[in-house]
Amino acid sequence: LAALPASFAQRNRVYTSLDEVVCPDSVFELNLKRAGLREFPVRILEFRNLEKLDMSRNKMIKLPVEINCLKNLIYLNLNHNRLDSVPKELGQLEKLETLILSRNRILELPAELGELCNLKELRLLSNGIISLPENFRKLDKTLKILDLRANPQTYEQQEQIKSVLPSVEIKMTYVCNCQ
């Protein structure tokens, strides 16, 4: 077998530390899971070719609005942090297909996330979300999975969410409409 070109190996490398990065343009996948981060490292914003970013199981409380410069991002995992909000600029990441915001402290989502025209999977498990912005109707064409389990919706709120996204597989902790 012929050796793979260096560009192939470089493109398929998963970086697990910012210290490993010599050339920001060579980073396509970055895994900073359990890195003890309390803040979003602004250096990541230089990684213009970044496609996959896993920053799960850290202690971050906010994301920079400049996250919108990561235009090639396809996968973003921010599971298990301390985020209480999401910047509206996240809605400008047009290539984003998977967004994982589970196990944070998020109460509301910005309507701009409804502009994520390629979003297929949105995981919001265990936050404080009771409703979705009306603009999320736009996601009904592309979104395949919406995970809203362990959020404090009432039966009526769950029905409203289902009416916004009738074609989407929605996972919820169902509430009985018993009297």
Side-chain angles (χ1 to χ4, degrees):
L1 289 172
L4 293 172
S7 61
F8 179 82
Q10 185 177 11
R11 181 159 174 79
N12 289 305
R13 179 178 179 183
V14 178
Y15 289 86
T16 56
S17 166
L18 293 174
D19 296 333
E20 297 176 57
V21 178
V22 177
C23 176
D25 288 341
S26 69
V27 180
F28 295 90
E29 186 170 347
L30 182 60
N31 184 340
L32 296 177
K33 182 178 186 174
R34 289 190 170 105
L37 300 172
R38 294 188 182 278
E39 294 181 357
F40 187 95
V42 292
R43 182 161 183 235
I44 293 173
L45 301 174
E46 299 171 17
F47 303 166
R48 303 293 183 184
N49 293 319
L50 191 62
E51 295 174 351
K52 285 185 77 175
L53 178 58
D54 186 342
M55 298 182 76
S56 60
R57 298 193 172 266
N58 282 290
K59 297 175 182 171
M60 295 184 301
I61 58 171
K62 70 182 236 181
L63 298 174
V65 296
E66 296 85 4
I67 197 163
N68 64 344
C69 71
L70 299 175
K71 298 285 185 202
N72 289 306
L73 215 52
I74 295 169
Y75 175 92
L76 178 59
N77 186 349
L78 296 164
N79 177 45
H80 230 282
N81 274 282
R82 296 179 180 167
L83 302 172
D84 59 10
S85 65
V86 178
K88 65 180 182 180
E89 289 78 8
L90 202 58
Q92 296 172 13
L93 300 178
E94 295 176 4
K95 294 183 180 180
L96 199 61
E97 294 178 6
T98 302
L99 178 57
I100 305 171
L101 295 167
S102 297
R103 292 184 172 88
N104 278 286
R105 300 170 180 173
I106 301 167
L107 301 177
E108 287 185 334
L109 296 170
E112 289 79 1
L113 292 187
E115 302 299 326
L116 294 171
C117 57
N118 288 302
L119 194 64
K120 293 179 175 69
E121 182 177 352
L122 179 57
R123 300 213 177 256
L124 300 164
L125 170 84
S126 194
N127 277 286
I129 298 168
I130 58 171
S131 65
L132 298 177
E134 190 64 30
N135 194 30
F136 272 47
R137 281 192 193 282
K138 294 179 181 180
L139 298 176
D140 195 50
K141 295 179 185 109
T142 57
L143 194 63
K144 302 293 181 223
I145 297 172
L146 172 62
D147 190 347
L148 279 168
R149 289 175 293 167
N151 280 284
Q153 300 110 0
T154 63
Y155 176 80
E156 291 78 18
Q157 290 164 334
Q158 289 180 345
E159 291 302 306
Q160 192 275 335
I161 289 169
K162 287 190 242 177
S163 74
V164 170
L165 297 167
S167 304
V168 177
E169 177 189 337
I170 303 174
K171 299 178 180 186
M172 294 182 182
T173 305
Y174 287 98
V175 177
C176 177
N177 190 24
C178 307
Q179 304 275 331

